[in-house]
Amino acid sequence: QVQLVESGGGLVQPGGSLRLSCVLSGFTLDYYAIGWFRQAPGKEREGISCISSYDRSTYFADSVKGRFTISRDVAKKTVSLQMNSLKPEDTAVYYCAANLVTNRCSNSMVLHEYGYWGQGTQVTVSS
């Protein structure tokens, strides 16, 4: 059974850090680009970061560039999102998903290309 499970969310003060993990089961990281998305209340789901299985290249949305990093551990089947300098506007439910169309990351993240969505993990940035 193909499954992605996110963890690591929580409540953090502005300026703080969190590390989210996305653990895969039922398939290998070798063939899929993995993306992180987030959805704040009343807003559309936004693609914020992607890591390619083709060449390990990465993509970051402007809203998180310079603050977030993405990495993967093939042996552990885990993709991690390190989030630093968190802001209240980063508050959202964060999801990981696999790109079912390509193993590369483009300059944008097309929502309908992604599948095997996890259940999400809540990140709240507040003082």
Side-chain angles (χ1 to χ4, degrees):
Q1 181 182 358
V2 176
Q3 194 174 13
L4 284 80
V5 178
E6 305 95 338
S7 64
L11 173 64
V12 64
Q13 292 186 343
S17 298
L18 281 176
R19 186 176 182 86
L20 305 184
S21 294
C22 173
V23 179
L24 287 67
S25 61
F27 66 103
T28 175
L29 270 175
D30 292 336
Y31 303 113
Y32 294 93
I34 301 296
W36 281 97
F37 294 76
R38 67 185 182 186
Q39 189 166 18
K43 295 189 176 181
E44 293 185 351
R45 193 166 296 191
E46 171 193 19
I48 57 171
S49 185
C50 171
I51 186 163
S52 165
S53 64
Y54 177 73
D55 58 4
R56 296 196 179 188
S57 60
T58 58
Y59 161 83
F60 295 94
D62 288 343
S63 57
V64 305
K65 196 173 294 182
R67 300 187 297 124
F68 291 10
T69 58
I70 189 171
S71 60
R72 65 179 206 153
D73 186 325
V74 175
K76 295 183 179 179
K77 291 189 171 183
T78 300
V79 174
S80 298
L81 186 70
Q82 178 67 40
M83 308 187 296
N84 299 327
S85 303
L86 284 162
K87 305 174 182 180
E89 51 264 44
D90 294 318
T91 295
V93 178
Y94 284 69
Y95 301 89
C96 62
N99 193 310
L100 306 182
V101 173
T102 177
N103 59 2
R104 307 186 189 197
C105 296
S106 64
N107 290 332
S108 64
M109 295 176 66
V110 181
L111 192 65
H112 67 253
E113 291 185 353
Y114 286 82
Y116 304 138
W117 293 89
Q119 83 289 347
T121 185
Q122 176 71 47
V123 172
T124 303
V125 185
S126 175
S127 55

